[in-house]
């Protein structure tokens, strides 16, 4: 481990100072801060946006590098695009993105480590290259950073909302309006820590939806998320009494349309290439089980 001490000569955010003095990315600096490795005037600070004032004494520890313990696994994945900086994959329903308790293998990260020669290290040893996630039961487009430069750029596009992500979603019940916006903050549920919930003290979350088609006791929507909170679409749609069809966590406890899976698919993805500046656009058609379920609902409607 390496300990660095610095007296602030200008007012600035703590993560900015740590990244500059520690020769690290902002994301990595924020990780060190959240891990309790930084003190300001002798007090441990865990908030990356903490405001450091002129004359404050800042001390932080850079931990030793840890080798990844995640195993490479020869798991087939659909790579739609790949170059030296980024990749775009079409994640299947049922695949966990990165290893965690109870899911140490068979994840997208295990597959990526086998399929690619390099991945960004910013996500940590269990999340290399992972800039954003999709729930286990959500299928569709997911981008991967192959180096730290790309990771920083893609993360910045996410935070600045210049990246555009659209989903196809089937919700319970018909929609009366052609479009709408849900702007409600989301936080970890105080009643069930495994779930997320609408919370005035939560992080801002914005979801826009457009009605594509009313079906039998359900509706097909094009959903555009402007923020990327955990379970955002699922929580927001539940909050307007239109939970996603097939949602075992936030869906209807009784009744509802019968579908074989969570009816949520990351359909389109647009972002700016971190090296070339080219605007890239990707489309992934929903998998067959999604399409079959959709056709069944259309037939029932007719």
């Amino acid at each position: 481990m390496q300990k660095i001490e610095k007296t602030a000569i200008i007012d600035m955010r703590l993560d900015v100072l740590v990244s500059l003095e520690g020769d690290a990315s902002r994301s990595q600096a924020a990780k060190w801060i959240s891990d309790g490795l930084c003190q300001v005037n002798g007090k441990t600070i865990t908030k990356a946006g903490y405001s450091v004032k002129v004359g404050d004494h800042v001390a932080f520890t850079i931990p030793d590098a840890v080798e990844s313990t995640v195993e490479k696994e020869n798991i087939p994945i659909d790579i739609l695009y790949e170059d030296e900086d980024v990749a775009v994959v079409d994640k299947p329903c049922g695949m966990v993105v990165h290893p965690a308790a109870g899911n140490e293998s068979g994840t997208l990260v295990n597959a990526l480590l086998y399929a690619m020669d390099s991945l960004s290290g910013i996500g940590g040893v269990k999340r290399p290259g992972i800039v954003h996630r999709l729930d286990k039961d959500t299928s569709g487009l997911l981008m991967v950073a192959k180096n730290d430069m790309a990771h920083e750029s893609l993360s910045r596009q996410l935070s600045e909302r210049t990246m555009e992500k659209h989903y196809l979603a089937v919700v319970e019940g018909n929609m009366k309006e052609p479009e709408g916006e849900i702007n409600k903050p989301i936080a970890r549920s105080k009643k069930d820590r495994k779930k997320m919930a609408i919370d005035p003290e939560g992080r801002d979350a914005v979801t826009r939806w457009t009605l594509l088609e009313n079906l039998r006791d359900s509706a097909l929507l094009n959903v555009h998320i402007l923020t990327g909170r955990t379970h955002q679409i699922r929580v927001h749609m539940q909050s307007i009494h239109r939970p996603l069809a097939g949602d075992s966590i936030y869906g209807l406890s009784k009744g509802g349309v019968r579908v074989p899976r969570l009816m949520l698919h990351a359909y389109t993805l647009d972002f700016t290439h971190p090296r070339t500046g080219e605007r890239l656009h990707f489309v992934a058609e929903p998998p067959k089980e999604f399409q079959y379920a959709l056709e069944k609902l259309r037939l029932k409607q007719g």
Side-chain angles (χ1 to χ4, degrees), residues 258-292:
R258 299 185 64 180
V259 289
R261 53 159 288 179
L262 176 69
M263 296 297 283
L264 185 62
H265 175 73
Y267 182 53
T268 68
L269 174 65
D270 294 76
F271 62 89
T272 300
H273 193 283
R275 188 180 300 273
T276 68
E278 179 186 1
R279 191 68 177 174
L280 302 179
H281 173 72
F282 299 93
V283 177
E285 295 296 332
K288 289 183 178 179
E289 72 272 13
F290 189 109
Q291 295 186 45
Y292 289 157

Side-chain angles (χ1 to χ4, degrees), residues 188-197 230-231 249-250:
R188 184 71 57 182
S189 171
K190 296 181 174 66
K191 297 180 180 179
D192 184 346
R193 301 303 292 174
K194 294 181 180 180
K195 299 173 66 174
M196 307 301 289
T230 300
H231 295 178
I249 299 177
Y250 303 98

